[in-house]
Amino acid sequence: MARIKTDKDVTRREVITKAAASLFREKGYKAASMRDLAVKVGVEAASLYNHIRSKTELLHDVCFNIANLYWEHMGQVETSTATAHEKVERLLRFHIHQMVDNYEEVYVSDREWRHLAEPYLSNYKNQRRNYRKRFAAIIEKGIDQNEFKQIDAPTAVLIMLHAVSGIDSWHRSREKISAEALEENMVTLLIEGLKK
């Protein structure tokens, strides 16, 4: 029987989770099966259960791994001594990098989270909501400190996050600019729109 191939610093579970993210992006969570995942990983379906309990558990891992990554980064940005402008730029660049470098996991956490089982679904929704509130609070501080225009901060956050989500089109494009040029263009458009 074939074994799950891993690199030096990667566990079998991590290999399975990454393959699941790729599969969930390609087919959607509902349509993807454990048999599909086994084929993608190169093992018998039954051997997957030595490492994971269910497809639901895999979706949980993908979504919360990404959510926790963002949550941790937000904490670092909030406690820094940077200006509101610098904090928003750091958050935006982080989101862009994640969408470029961890595309499949971020895509799944952004589009397939609705299939999480309770109580995880409610927890995930709360985490998303609170993350956006924290992001908006940084923009509101920038407005108060006269760094940014008088705008609705929650709306600005939604626009930024939806713009980053649109990087999905960049991944699918046959002719595309470099990831670096994409990042600089997005930061220029989105940050300059906030500044006074």
Side-chain angles (χ1 to χ4, degrees), residues 25 32 44 50 67 73 79 85 112 126 128 132 136 145 163-164:
R25 184 196 58 79
E44 295 291 325
N50 293 328
H73 185 258
T79 57
H85 169 269
E112 299 294 322
N126 285 335
R128 280 172 62 96
R132 288 178 178 173
Q145 294 174 337
V164 172

Side-chain angles (χ1 to χ4, degrees), residues 113-141:
W113 61 267
R114 291 164 186 84
H115 301 294
L116 286 165
E118 289 292 359
Y120 305 110
L121 178 60
S122 294
N123 291 344
Y124 193 77
K125 283 174 39 178
N126 285 335
Q127 196 165 344
R128 280 172 62 96
R129 192 177 307 113
N130 288 333
Y131 181 88
R132 288 178 178 173
K133 283 180 182 176
R134 291 167 75 184
F135 202 147
I138 293 171
I139 294 175
E140 284 162 359
K141 189 166 186 182

Side-chain angles (χ1 to χ4, degrees), residues 13-193:
R13 185 183 178 93
E14 289 169 334
V15 169
I16 294 167
T17 304
K18 194 160 187 65
S22 175
L23 184 66
F24 297 162
R25 184 196 58 79
E26 290 166 13
K27 291 193 162 196
Y29 173 77
K30 284 285 194 189
S33 71
M34 292 299 277
R35 183 167 285 138
D36 295 330
L37 181 58
V39 169
K40 198 164 194 67
V41 176
V43 296
E44 295 291 325
S47 69
L48 287 175
Y49 293 102
N50 293 328
H51 306 283
I52 50 112
R53 287 190 297 261
S54 65
K55 187 171 87 162
T56 305
E57 181 181 60
L58 286 168
L59 181 63
H60 171 277
D61 286 359
V62 171
C63 290
F64 281 96
N65 287 349
I66 293 298
N68 293 337
L69 192 65
Y70 285 122
W71 198 259
E72 184 180 317
H73 185 258
M74 175 62 81
Q76 293 168 3
V77 169
E78 285 172 326
T79 57
S80 75
T81 57
T83 64
H85 169 269
E86 291 165 340
K87 288 179 179 183
V88 171
E89 184 170 334
R90 278 180 61 190
L91 289 170
L92 186 56
R93 287 185 186 278
F94 184 78
H95 276 267
I96 293 167
H97 278 272
Q98 291 305 311
M99 190 62 173
V100 169
D101 300 332
N102 295 326
Y103 168 55
E104 293 179 319
E105 292 91 337
V106 173
Y107 179 96
V108 169
S109 71
D110 194 43
R111 313 261 171 109
E112 299 294 322
W113 61 267
R114 291 164 186 84
H115 301 294
L116 286 165
E118 289 292 359
Y120 305 110
L121 178 60
S122 294
N123 291 344
Y124 193 77
K125 283 174 39 178
N126 285 335
Q127 196 165 344
R128 280 172 62 96
R129 192 177 307 113
N130 288 333
Y131 181 88
R132 288 178 178 173
K133 283 180 182 176
R134 291 167 75 184
F135 202 147
I138 293 171
I139 294 175
E140 284 162 359
K141 189 166 186 182
I143 294 167
D144 292 343
Q145 294 174 337
N146 218 27
E147 288 183 58
F148 298 142
K149 297 171 185 167
Q150 289 288 331
I151 55 165
D152 182 66
T155 301
V157 170
L158 284 176
I159 290 168
M160 287 183 179
L161 296 181
H162 282 289
V164 172
S165 181
I167 292 175
D168 174 49
S169 298
W170 175 82
H171 278 285
R172 291 184 280 113
S173 177
R174 288 186 185 167
E175 294 179 24
K176 57 188 171 192
I177 61 175
S178 70
E180 295 78 17
L182 173 72
E183 178 182 344
E184 293 309 319
N185 278 303
M186 290 187 76
V187 167
T188 298
L189 288 167
L190 294 169
I191 299 288
E192 290 302 316

